Amino acid sequence: AQSVTQPDIHITVSEGASLELRCNYSYGATPYLFWYVQSPGQGLQLLLKYFSGDTLVQGIKGFEAEFKRSQSSFNLRKPSVHWSDAAEYFCAVGGTSYGKLTFGQGTILTVHP
Amino acid sequence: NAGVMQNPRHLVRRRGQEARLRCSPMKGHSHVYWYRQLPEEGLKFMVYLQKENIIDESGMPKERFSAEFPKEGPSILRIQQVVRGDSAAYFCASSPPDRANEQFFGPGTRLTVL
């Protein structure tokens, strides 16, 4: 069975600081990996995705993520956080057959001025 | 191209009533997924539908919940005889037929059961 673990429930950073959100997955085959962001009361917006190829993927809003098969990880990074990045972030894994996604529990990001 | 649309955005029901949640996928998308987000939790898959077919309902509760995606019109998630534990945000996502993993999410329907 596929699963996703986001070890950090809540992270606080200062504006301008770097950010790394952790994601570990369990999946029997080559996974499709995603990061979504959710602002309060809103739906989910896709930040980036990994299907194959280059293990470092670039997304919107200056985010990037690196797929490390040996560590079963897909951590999200941003070099300099902006106050508008405060939101909840979800990592998700899917298979190749169709698009059922399994989500982690989410990481709430707070940004201090 | 309009995004995935869900209505209503907020729905209040009393225990025992029925809740109907609607989802209109993006234009050209023929795959629809429903997810539920309970308070303090991530999203949990409920059901995957294509036009007139339920492909995977492994995440649906066995009773009171049903979903459809008719040939014409939106997808409907129906909850009969709602209970307080059904209070949650219900999200719909759609994807194009050739890229089933690229899901675009709607804004969700927040169901409150009194």
Side-chain angles (χ1 to χ4, degrees):
Chain A
Q2 56 200 59
S3 66
V4 176
T5 301
Q6 293 180 245
D8 305 305
I9 296 174
H10 198 166
I11 283 184
T12 300
V13 299
S14 297
E15 191 169 16
S18 63
L19 172 70
E20 182 169 27
L21 302 182
R22 296 184 289 165
C23 171
N24 293 96
Y25 69 89
S26 173
Y27 192 74
T30 300
Y32 287 7
L33 293 159
F34 307 82
W35 275 100
Y36 286 88
V37 60
Q38 183 182 33
S39 297
Q42 302 297 314
L44 277 73
Q45 181 182 21
L46 179 66
L47 285 176
L48 48 78
K49 59 184 183 286
Y50 171 78
F51 285 179
S52 65
D54 192 347
T55 56
L56 185 63
V57 293
Q58 303 296 322
I60 62 171
K61 304 185 179 186
F63 285 93
E64 66 177 26
E66 186 171 13
F67 171 57
K68 292 185 177 180
R69 184 186 298 276
S70 61
Q71 299 177 19
S72 296
S73 70
F74 188 57
N75 294 349
L76 181 71
R77 301 194 293 250
K78 187 170 184 178
S80 177
V81 170
H82 188 263
W83 65 266
S84 60
D85 294 324
E88 190 162 15
Y89 292 79
F90 291 96
C91 180
V93 65
T96 56
S97 56
Y98 64 83
K100 170 184 173 179
L101 296 178
T102 298
F103 285 84
Q105 287 197 292
T107 297
I108 297 172
L109 174 65
T110 298
V111 180
H112 281 168
Chain B
N1 190 5
V4 177
M5 298 175 67
Q6 290 187 250
N7 66 80
R9 293 291 306 275
H10 299 273
L11 182 62
V12 179
R13 286 287 178 265
R14 297 190 181 278
R15 281 179 295 169
Q17 292 183 319
E18 178 179 288
R20 282 186 180 237
L21 288 62
R22 295 175 188 77
C23 169
S24 296
M26 290 178 68
K27 186 177 181 180
H29 288 193
S30 57
H31 297 202
V32 166
Y33 306 81
W34 285 93
Y35 294 84
R36 177 165 64 173
Q37 185 178 32
L38 293 169
E40 310 298 324
E41 295 188 15
L43 280 74
K44 298 282 194 269
F45 168 80
M46 299 181 74
V47 63
Y48 161 43
L49 310 105
Q50 295 178 14
K51 285 284 188 181
E52 299 185 281
N53 282 302
I54 297 174
I55 307 301
D56 181 353
E57 55 182 348
S58 59
M60 288 278 271
K62 298 300 181 197
E63 298 177 344
R64 301 187 297 109
F65 284 72
S66 63
E68 63 176 7
F69 188 17
K71 186 176 180 180
E72 301 292 338
S75 175
I76 306 286
L77 179 67
R78 182 183 177 202
I79 311 172
Q80 295 178 291
Q81 300 176 324
V82 296
V83 301
R84 290 221 173 104
D86 296 333
S87 295
Y90 292 83
F91 290 95
C92 168
S94 71
S95 67
D98 57 339
R99 296 194 304 278
N101 270 296
E102 293 193 30
Q103 295 182 25
F104 296 83
F105 281 79
T109 294
R110 279 152 183 83
L111 172 66
T112 301
V113 180
L114 301 178

